[in-house]
Amino acid sequence: MSVDYKLIGSRIKAERKKQNMTQEKLAEKLGVSVGYISQIERGITKTSLDLLGTISDILCCDISDFIKASSQSSKDYMSEEFSKNYCRLQPRERRIVDRMIRFFLDEQQNNGPMC
């Protein structure tokens, strides 16, 4: 099983920003460098469960918010991320994505899998 640390990091970043907290402030509260926080948020550094627990305590959220569906083998992995990104699109952009999906599905039905 592979864990998507980039996804976990992006969730940490999103929660931190939602709370108007800087990387500097989070780093200070954790007793680590700003560079280390940056590496975690970009998924470059794999963080321990202990550190994730501390981060969730600081950000007053549940640790599961960071790690749910972060396994690349999880069937919900892509659908959750797709839904989150899709919701961020403007209505016009959503229509374009819908057309693209219909195109791929039609091609697959008519010509078999594209891969």
Side-chain angles (χ1 to χ4, degrees):
M1 172 173 65
S2 180
V3 175
D4 188 342
Y5 287 95
K6 189 171 183 176
L7 176 59
I8 292 170
S10 71
R11 289 174 176 168
I12 292 169
K13 180 178 182 178
E15 186 61 35
R16 176 182 59 76
K17 286 188 165 206
K18 186 170 118 180
Q19 296 187 25
N20 294 315
M21 184 181 293
T22 63
Q23 284 184 335
E24 290 81 5
K25 189 68 173 173
L26 181 57
E28 179 185 315
K29 290 181 176 223
L30 287 169
V32 299
S33 71
V34 175
Y36 188 66
I37 297 298
S38 175
Q39 289 178 353
I40 290 172
E41 290 183 350
R42 290 181 290 143
I44 294 170
T45 296
K46 297 177 181 181
T47 183
S48 69
L49 280 176
D50 288 338
L51 185 60
L52 275 178
T54 304
I55 291 170
S56 68
D57 288 344
I58 291 168
L59 297 176
C60 299
C61 62
D62 195 284
I63 191 172
S64 66
D65 294 339
F66 299 139
I67 60 176
K68 67 183 171 197
S70 62
S71 167
Q72 293 176 350
S73 62
S74 168
K75 65 182 177 183
D76 297 327
Y77 171 73
M78 287 303 294
S79 62
E80 181 182 323
E81 287 306 298
F82 180 84
S83 294
K84 182 178 78 176
N85 290 327
Y86 186 82
C87 289
R88 294 173 52 200
L89 297 174
Q90 297 297 317
R92 179 179 177 278
E93 297 166 326
R94 288 182 184 182
R95 286 190 296 275
I96 293 169
V97 170
D98 289 337
R99 279 187 238 138
M100 291 171 58
I101 291 170
R102 279 194 299 274
F103 171 79
F104 284 112
L105 292 173
D106 289 345
E107 284 294 309
Q108 185 178 24
Q109 185 178 18
N110 295 331
N111 302 318
M114 296 178 85
C115 299

